[in-house]
Amino acid sequence: QVQLVESGGGLVQTGDSLRLSCAASGRTFSNYAMGWFRQAPGKEREFVATISWSGGTAYYADSVKGRFTISRDNAKNTVYLQMNSLKPEDTAVYYCASTGRAGPKLDLMEYKYWGQGTQVTVSS
């Protein structure tokens, strides 16, 4: 079992930056790929970014490519999402998740463990 707790969300203005953190506990965090997803009101949960167990491979949704960066610190059992140049359309609840496997995945159905989410609101 893996427990995930997100933090770092908040209310910001267009163009601002935020860094989300996801602290993991339980089974060996460093063995697993991690991902960030988001869900806006009235919309389905969507993929944002994913990173391999080693941090050597990462993939991004086209909508965030070049603005967001996913990273991880296995010594701290934490994965991060640095969000720059935020836009109102980035407003959503952001969730971190773990696949329970090594390879990064874009499909949310591949993820076994989920955090409770953190709200990000970007005002125009």
Side-chain angles (χ1 to χ4, degrees):
Q1 192 74 11
V2 176
Q3 292 80 42
L4 304 171
V5 179
E6 303 96 334
S7 61
L11 172 63
V12 297
Q13 295 185 333
T14 298
D16 284 351
S17 298
L18 273 177
R19 189 176 79 158
L20 305 183
S21 298
C22 174
S25 60
R27 288 192 172 181
T28 306
F29 167 82
S30 60
N31 290 346
Y32 301 148
M34 299 292 295
W36 285 96
F37 293 78
R38 67 186 181 186
Q39 188 166 18
K43 294 188 176 182
E44 294 185 349
R45 193 170 299 188
E46 65 176 5
F47 167 76
V48 175
T50 183
I51 189 166
S52 63
W53 68 274
S54 66
T57 302
Y59 299 103
Y60 298 91
D62 288 342
S63 58
V64 306
K65 203 171 293 183
R67 299 188 299 123
F68 290 11
T69 302
I70 188 171
S71 62
R72 65 191 297 161
D73 185 337
N74 286 342
K76 296 182 178 180
N77 284 0
T78 302
V79 63
Y80 305 98
L81 185 67
Q82 177 67 43
M83 305 186 295
N84 298 330
S85 303
L86 282 162
K87 305 175 182 180
E89 51 264 44
D90 295 319
T91 294
V93 177
Y94 283 72
Y95 299 90
C96 76
S98 171
T99 63
R101 289 179 286 181
K105 302 293 183 183
L106 280 66
D107 186 349
L108 63 86
M109 298 301 293
E110 298 280 356
Y111 288 79
K112 293 178 61 175
Y113 309 106
W114 292 84
Q116 83 290 347
T118 185
Q119 176 71 47
V120 172
T121 303
V122 185
S123 64
S124 57

